[in-house]
Amino acid sequence: MAEKQKPRKIVPATERFEKAIVSDVKEKYVLRLYITGMTPRSQEALRKLNKVCREYLGDNYELEVIDIYQQPILGKGDQIIAVPTLIKKLPLPLRRLIGDFSQESRIILGLDLKPKSPSPHTTKK
């Protein structure tokens, strides 16, 4: 007697493809930070950005730091009008963050990262 086989669920190719992308590949973040020398403001922007990237992206990012005093042509090419300026080149959409990097939440929002959910012990009642 032949054994009964369960009918297989047919999953559309696009659905399989989308699931594979989400589960297997995390797109690398490509960031470019424009600063003016090693001023306190530039150092603070770099420190805050590095902290957020390590915490939220791990090793999944490339950060290029450009001093517009040393490489003014690159600043002109990216139309930099104020510093510090962070450009998120990838993943799309391209984003620009200009100015004060003192608020981590602003960096997280600008990079399209998901904020970490607060622990149950810190939620307000």
Side-chain angles (χ1 to χ4, degrees):
M1 183 172 228
E3 200 175 305
K4 267 191 169 179
Q5 291 183 352
K6 291 182 182 178
R8 287 192 293 174
K9 180 181 173 188
I10 298 173
V11 180
T14 54
E15 187 178 330
R16 289 193 315 262
F17 179 71
E18 288 170 356
K19 283 182 181 180
I21 288 174
V22 171
S23 65
D24 294 339
V25 179
K26 283 188 175 181
E27 192 167 2
K28 190 167 213 129
Y29 277 67
V30 178
L31 309 170
R32 185 177 275 183
L33 176 65
Y34 285 93
I35 59 171
T36 51
M38 290 310 292
T39 63
R41 188 172 176 182
S42 295
Q43 289 177 342
E44 179 69 9
L46 183 58
R47 187 181 68 72
K48 286 282 190 177
L49 181 59
N50 273 324
K51 180 180 184 287
V52 168
C53 287
R54 281 192 311 270
E55 193 172 318
Y56 285 82
L57 300 173
D59 293 332
N60 199 31
Y61 72 99
E62 293 175 18
L63 174 61
E64 181 180 10
V65 179
I66 298 169
D67 183 342
I68 61 169
Y69 290 151
Q70 302 291 323
Q71 299 175 303
I73 300 295
L74 292 175
K76 285 182 183 179
D78 275 335
Q79 301 175 348
I80 301 303
I81 57 171
V83 286
T85 294
L86 175 66
I87 298 176
K88 179 185 77 135
K89 293 189 171 266
L90 290 174
L92 295 175
L94 183 128
R95 293 281 173 109
R96 289 176 179 259
L97 279 79
I98 300 170
D100 183 21
F101 284 33
S102 62
Q103 295 177 340
E104 276 188 30
S105 60
R106 189 169 171 266
I107 298 170
I108 292 164
L109 181 66
L111 293 176
D112 292 326
L113 298 171
K114 289 186 168 82
K116 293 184 176 180
S117 57
S119 68
H121 303 292
T122 61
T123 56
K124 294 181 182 178
K125 292 184 181 182

